[in-house]
Amino acid sequence: MEPSTETNKEQEDEQVVTPWEVSGKDGGKIDYDKLIDRFGCQRIDQSLIHRVEQVTSLPAHVFLRRGVFFAHRDFAEVLNAYEKGDKFYLYTGRGPSSEALHLGHLIPFMFTKYLQDAFKVPLVIQLTDDEKFLWKNLTVDECRRLARENAKDIIACGFDISKTFIFSDFDFVGGAFYRNMVEVAKRVTYNQAVGIFGFTGEDHIGKVSFPPVQAVPSFPSSFPHLFSGKDNLRCLIPCAIDQDPYFRMTRDVAPKLGYHKPALIESLFFPALQGETGKMSASDPNSAIYVTDSAKDIKNKVNRHAFSGGQDSVEKHRQLGANIEVDIPVKYLSFFLDDDAELEHIKKEYGAGRMLTGEVKQRLVQVLTELVERHRTARANVTDEMVDAFMAVRPLPYMFD
């Protein structure tokens, strides 16, 4: 197996990062350097970002420039092959467990949209409604309904229908896809699954059987209507780094089945408004900005709940400046404020005490309100017929144009 197949109990008692649980040591920040070491992936450096710009003839996405997508597996190999004329396809997904997405959920889709446009490649998007049924207290029908609702938010990100196939597991799994699932399942022992995912004797067998479902979209033969006769096609997976365990398992099995190991490009976790202690909590609506929030909601959440690195009095702030390393408004601006010069100006002025917390929060409210309003308008234009069209099993005739 690839590095880090240790059980959760052996994770140095420091931080836990699995597809279902994210927590820092003693409730603190995630140490991404340690995570990279433990998972065995590589950090994205400036030379790799420069290569992306060279290959695509486009500026790197803000998420690349600012280290939001910060780690990878074999991304350089994908670029090498692409330069030689070998295409690839993209694969990402969403576990539909809530009606509304928060901004953290949008990040992989915003970045995937950039990748699709920049490299002009096809994309498959998996909606793991089956996973949410297995892990959450939801009915099958509710998971299927949420998958379609979430699909509307995904489509609103602007994906090209001529290059994009969205599928829900409950509706699509079978045939070649299922055959690949069984091929993977036969090659991963129960002990390996426990080591990678931390399953215990209390977990039902549905959980233990799920990982192959998320693994096999990275094999082109799982989609014969798209990639028939293209078994040598490479796959690139943009995702948050908590999904890495699935693909460590997949990368171990892929060569045994005659496929390329899927490449990954992995993001940081989007911090909660209250501070950088892992992922946001869906159980606390004030920990996140949702795409359904009104302008008033956004203003109230930022002003009342966004953790500030500013000082507790204006005089002290003018003297000492803000700690921008812990300031959540600055972190959110680093995700969503496109203008590099303006962001650096804010960091400099705020850090020196010449700009106040209220001014930084006001700018963040403007940026987030515009983003959410733009998304809401796009989503309102997504009809059920459009969802059906994206989810229809059909060839993608222009997928490599």
Side-chain angles (χ1 to χ4, degrees):
M1 277 283 180
E2 294 210 349
S4 183
T5 56
E6 77 276 21
T7 63
N8 288 351
K9 292 176 183 177
E10 294 169 331
Q11 289 174 1
E12 305 165 25
D13 294 321
E14 288 191 354
Q15 57 186 14
V16 177
V17 176
T18 74
W20 313 286
E21 182 183 0
V22 174
S23 61
K25 182 181 180 182
D26 301 324
K29 291 169 60 173
I30 298 297
D31 186 326
Y32 289 104
D33 288 328
K34 285 188 176 179
L35 199 56
I36 283 176
D37 288 343
R38 207 181 86 217
F39 281 3
C41 45
Q42 294 175 284
R43 189 171 278 277
I44 293 173
D45 59 20
Q46 196 57 47
S47 65
L48 194 54
I49 296 170
H50 182 61
R51 280 206 63 207
V52 172
E53 293 181 325
Q54 284 184 315
V55 170
T56 62
S57 301
L58 291 169
H61 192 278
V62 65
F63 291 165
L64 263 184
R65 296 200 310 269
R66 297 182 188 159
V68 174
F69 277 80
F70 75 106
H72 75 101
R73 292 179 184 273
D74 291 349
F75 184 40
E77 284 78 353
V78 168
L79 293 177
N80 291 341
Y82 186 82
E83 282 186 307
K84 294 173 183 173
D86 294 336
K87 299 287 190 176
F88 62 90
Y89 72 99
L90 295 162
Y91 156 40
T92 194
R94 159 86 184 132
S97 60
S98 60
E99 191 92 36
L101 275 61
H102 58 59
L103 294 184
H105 294 139
L106 283 188
I107 284 168
F109 295 108
M110 294 169 70
F111 188 64
T112 301
K113 156 73 172 160
Y114 151 77
L115 291 172
Q116 183 182 59
D117 291 347
F119 289 96
K120 300 178 176 60
V121 291
L123 162 67
V124 295
I125 299 175
Q126 180 181 44
L127 300 172
T128 55
D129 41 9
D130 52 343
E131 178 203 17
K132 292 308 173 186
F133 172 72
L134 292 169
W135 263 269
K136 303 283 186 179
N137 186 25
L138 296 167
T139 65
V140 168
D141 286 346
E142 181 67 358
C143 291
R144 294 184 71 202
R145 185 187 72 81
L146 290 173
R148 285 187 65 87
E149 288 303 306
N150 285 188
K152 292 177 181 177
D153 280 300
I154 293 167
I155 293 166
C157 292
F159 293 109
D160 181 349
I161 193 168
S162 72
K163 292 182 171 68
T164 305
F165 173 54
I166 301 175
F167 66 98
S168 92
D169 288 341
F170 276 134
D171 291 339
F172 183 71
V173 170
F177 194 100
Y178 182 69
R179 289 193 290 275
N180 279 340
M181 283 171 47
V182 175
E183 292 277 12
V184 171
K186 190 173 182 178
R187 288 165 175 80
V188 180
T189 69
Y190 176 70
N191 283 344
Q192 287 173 325
V194 168
I196 298 166
F197 298 103
F199 295 129
T200 70
E202 302 303 308
D203 287 315
H204 57 69
I205 62 174
K207 292 183 178 181
V208 181
S209 68
F210 176 75
V213 186
Q214 190 160 322
V216 301
S218 56
F219 303 154
S221 66
S222 297
F223 306 100
H225 65 290
L226 301 179
F227 307 129
S228 179
K230 294 185 171 68
D231 286 0
N232 205 39
L233 199 60
R234 295 175 186 270
C235 177
L236 173 63
I237 305 169
C239 62
I241 198 167
D242 60 336
Q243 299 301 301
D244 190 89
Y246 282 116
F247 302 113
R248 293 204 302 279
M249 179 194 77
T250 309
R251 284 168 56 84
D252 185 68
V253 173
K256 300 172 186 175
L257 299 178
Y259 301 112
H260 289 292
K261 293 183 178 185
L264 282 84
I265 184 163
E266 300 177 314
S267 72
L268 308 165
F269 302 118
F270 190 65
L273 282 167
Q274 285 83 354
E276 206 173 6
T277 56
K279 293 202 295 187
M280 287 169 284
S281 169
S283 61
D284 180 5
N286 289 321
S287 71
I289 304 293
Y290 287 82
V291 295
T292 52
D293 284 346
S294 67
K296 183 179 179 182
D297 291 334
I298 293 169
K299 184 177 181 180
N300 287 341
K301 285 184 178 183
V302 170
N303 286 335
R304 295 178 183 177
H305 300 289
F307 184 82
S308 170
Q311 305 300 328
D312 52 15
S313 71
V314 173
E315 294 77 14
K316 197 173 176 183
H317 184 83
R318 295 291 191 201
Q319 178 188 358
L320 300 175
N323 179 355
I324 62 173
E325 293 302 313
V326 300
D327 190 270
I328 289 299
V330 167
K331 290 191 180 297
Y332 275 33
L333 285 170
S334 71
F335 278 80
F336 297 121
L337 179 60
D338 287 336
D339 189 323
D340 290 339
E342 184 184 357
L343 180 64
E344 286 310 307
H345 174 77
I346 289 170
K347 286 181 175 179
K348 181 179 177 182
E349 296 298 299
Y350 189 39
R354 292 186 291 271
M355 183 178 272
L356 299 175
T357 298
E359 296 173 272
V360 179
K361 287 189 172 184
Q362 182 181 21
R363 183 66 181 113
L364 177 61
V365 168
Q366 290 173 344
V367 169
L368 296 185
T369 301
E370 289 172 11
L371 172 66
V372 169
E373 288 294 339
R374 192 164 59 244
H375 180 85
R376 187 156 50 229
T377 299
R379 191 191 191 281
N381 291 322
V382 178
T383 63
D384 285 326
E385 290 75 20
M386 288 174 67
V387 175
D388 290 339
F390 270 92
M391 298 183 76
V393 177
R394 80 255 184 232
L396 300 177
Y398 307 109
M399 62 184 176
F400 288 117
D401 288 3

